[in-house]
Amino acid sequence: MNKQNEAVETPFNIKTIIGPVMAVIIGMIMVILDSTVVNVAMPGIVEYFKSDLDTMQWTITGYTLALSAVIPLAGWMSDRFGAKRIFLITILFFTIGSVLCSVAQSPEQLILYRIIQGLGGGMVAPIGMAIIFRLAPPDKMGSIMGMLGIPMLLAPALGPVISGWFVEFSTWHWIFLINLPIGIIALIVGMKYLPNFETKTVPSLDKFGIILAPIAFSMLAYGVSESSTSWTSKETLTGLIVGGVALLLFIVVELRQKQPLLELRVFKSSDFTRSILITWIMQIALFGSFLIVPLYLQTVKGYGAFETGLIMLPQAVASALMMPIGGKLYDKVGARPLALVGLTVITGALYLFSTITLDSTNVFIILTLAMMGAGMGISMMAINTHVLQSAPRHLVSRVTSLTSAAQQVMVSFAVAGMAGFLTSSTKDYMTKIANPLEAMISAYGDTFLLAAGIALAGAVLSIILRKPVVSDIDQGELDEEAKSSMMVGH
């Protein structure tokens, strides 16, 4: 029996796991923060580089695509080289990428360095969570998960506020440079407290999948973003055609692989397909608006970055408060009523945003944001859990990589698509309305209305969800990768 099993069999003391938990929490906070800080900083970054939204949105799109590229590799890399080693390397890679972002001299450099950040950050959460699942005994899992939930609840709430403070009272460079001391602390704590796990024999890596997936998703995102100029422009068509061909090749390759990068065979399950389609629709509606709302507050309403961050705070708080309620209700009623209610609430909030004017009060904006956060909190975890439960039992551990990576791809599409639509709509209204500010308000209204329409489509589709059959999957038999993905992948 190996040392790991011997350690588990000895009487458990919570003090023995505090060190590893702290290392994982510090790493996760750093990565999750950087998924939200750029939204509020975007107007300042656009102005600093004298660029435009279509170009600078790639600082978000490139980051999320890089995350999606490496998430499926987390389990393979951990088994092949050791979880502790890969966790520390990814933290180091992310920290280096952050420092590079802080010294970027051009839009192209910042986008490249954000991609480096994403390549490091994508594996931090899944590997970190998997480590803790291997260390914590089942009867203590609840208390340990409460500790690990801290960064997942705090980071989205604090990200816009911290970002806004740095942008308004210092410089946007600090939203990245702050990761240097945090990264160093995470490395020191990780090297001291994370245990060494034995490596395992792993199957050969899906090399064609690794190459084709980033090409397919990045080119499709590029085509969608370039549509702001014209759907028939050379750039748009090139992105969509190259991305489409790469996607078809990727699907063919993955279906022929015994150990594919992403397990696409799971789409044979109609229940899984329905639920993940609704998940994607929700993510596109929500994450696209997460960029548009801060842009509106700063460019139209004239708020500073810090004030924008404070206004955005109730959305994250409402989501955090409603998430445990949604979890408890899920056990009683299943995903369908929660998805229907949550997406309906989100649709209503986005529709209210589409009617916003210069005279709209802060109270109206804050309540609408809180409404959107509440809809997200009550429905998102329920739908994500339903996705996992509706997957064929023997594919569950492979499905978690698919759902986690797919979320990042949907975020990239949402950001590229919404930014492109906003730019195109603004140009169109500028030719029709003499007052530039009124033209911008009309363009934002149309963009929010588009997001509301997407969310409404998700609400309608949620009616076809079937109540999950709990016996289809024994939650006690999920491996640590599957369990951790339910927490961190969404």
Side-chain angles (χ1 to χ4, degrees), residues 275-318:
S275 53
I276 200 168
L277 180 61
I278 293 169
T279 304
W280 290 348
I281 290 173
M282 175 191 281
Q283 289 166 352
I284 290 172
L286 279 172
F287 291 106
S289 62
F290 289 169
L291 170 66
I292 302 303
V293 172
L295 283 173
Y296 178 88
L297 291 173
Q298 293 179 67
T299 59
V300 175
K301 298 290 286 184
Y303 294 129
F306 183 56
E307 191 173 6
T308 296
L310 291 175
I311 292 172
M312 296 291 293
L313 183 60
Q315 177 180 316
V317 172

Side-chain angles (χ1 to χ4, degrees), residues 17 20-21 24 127-136 141 144 148:
I17 203 173
V21 168
V24 173
I127 293 178
M129 293 288 289
I131 288 174
I132 301 306
F133 269 103
R134 294 172 72 175
L135 293 176
M141 195 63 73
I144 301 301
L148 289 175

Side-chain angles (χ1 to χ4, degrees), residues 375-392:
M376 175 183 175
I378 201 169
S379 57
M380 183 162 280
M381 189 59 75
I383 299 175
N384 291 336
T385 306
H386 181 85
V387 168
L388 192 61
Q389 289 191 331
S390 60

